[in-house]
Amino acid sequence: MSETPSYNEKILLEQIASGNASAFGTLFEQYKDKVYALCMYMTRSELIAEEITQETFLKVWVKRTELTHVNYFNAYLRTIARNEVISHLRRMAKEQL
């Protein structure tokens, strides 16, 4: 994943922001392995990493109208994934009390 957004990525984000599910599928295919790897690194659990990867992309879809304002999608996506992992781990810790 490059840090500098490409022209094609900006177009893809604009398409997703307007509700284009096919463009979202393309974005998912481009980034799913990277998000999964980050989640796997943070949780050490395949099941939790898969779940959080899905939650991350669900959040991107729900907040898709904001994508036109995102300059660094890679950082945006990593932040969402990291926050989802932290939230999940906190929920798990509370359940064990």
Side-chain angles (χ1 to χ4, degrees):
M1 291 184 284
S2 65
E3 286 299 317
T4 306
S6 69
Y7 176 73
N8 290 336
E9 184 176 84
K10 279 300 219 186
I11 291 173
L12 194 60
L13 294 178
E14 289 172 6
Q15 290 173 341
I16 295 165
S18 68
N20 185 325
S22 176
F24 181 76
T26 300
L27 185 83
F28 176 78
E29 288 300 320
Q30 282 182 324
Y31 286 98
K32 69 178 179 175
D33 293 336
K34 299 288 186 181
V35 171
Y36 176 81
L38 173 65
C39 295
M40 186 65 186
Y41 173 77
M42 293 180 72
T43 65
R44 303 283 193 250
S45 167
E46 291 178 9
L47 181 63
I48 294 171
E50 285 178 19
E51 182 180 325
I52 294 173
T53 298
Q54 291 176 0
E55 290 173 9
T56 298
F57 282 98
L58 176 61
K59 189 163 273 190
V60 170
W61 179 253
V62 168
K63 294 184 166 200
R64 67 188 173 273
T65 58
E66 299 174 13
L67 291 177
T68 56
H69 304 296
V70 173
N71 291 320
Y72 299 99
F73 182 73
N74 181 41
Y76 175 80
L77 189 59
R78 288 178 58 87
T79 299
I80 292 173
R82 180 180 50 92
N83 290 343
E84 288 294 320
V85 168
I86 291 168
S87 294
H88 185 84
L89 294 176
R90 283 184 181 148
R91 280 192 305 273
M92 286 178 56
K94 284 182 182 178
E95 289 173 4
Q96 291 181 356
L97 291 177

